[in-house]
Amino acid sequence: MARSAAATVRTASADRVPSRLSVSAEDYRHAISRLPTGVTVITTTGPVGCTANAVMSLSVDPPSVLLSLDTASRTLARIRSEGRFAVNVLSWADRGLVTQFASGTPAERFAGVSWHRVDGVPVLTRASVTVVCAVRETVSLLDHTLIAGTARWTQVNDGPATVLYGNDQYAVGP
């Protein structure tokens, strides 16, 4: 009885797979860095904020976003207590804010940054896009927390290009 081509392919592929698979954190970071993402600053009352690129549209009905923050994040702790946050998509002109909001105290992160409040949440004035959200749900998963937020206010600045990150470098987005 002849074997099917599909069975042969599966067997051939299975023969090339090591019996024990594992990926180091370093190898994973290197691989996933090839996936280009938008760069944002997540802000909430305080003001506090942090750089994040794990942000995506979740739904249009109701309009919602999903983001992922390190469970130890000060910004996450404040979002949980306040129940609201803003996603500020950085413009190319403000690409320096990527590193500014990645470390330091909350005061250092906001130093020299033009912002105003919407529903009590700090909004970066020059962001390409801002979405202010109410927390709908949080889910702890591994060393991060996923936050689903329902959009309450948006602003789009059509002029500035956005910052993209991929392949360990920054680029201009549409």
Side-chain angles (χ1 to χ4, degrees), residues 150-163:
T150 303
R152 298 179 63 176
W153 182 85
T154 63
Q155 179 175 320
V156 176
N157 293 327
D158 289 326
T162 59
V163 178

Side-chain angles (χ1 to χ4, degrees), residues 39-41 51 90 94-103 163 170:
V39 182
T40 68
V41 168
T51 302
L90 292 181
D94 283 339
R95 65 191 175 276
L97 296 182
V98 171
T99 54
Q100 185 170 333
F101 274 86
S103 63
V163 178
Y170 297 100

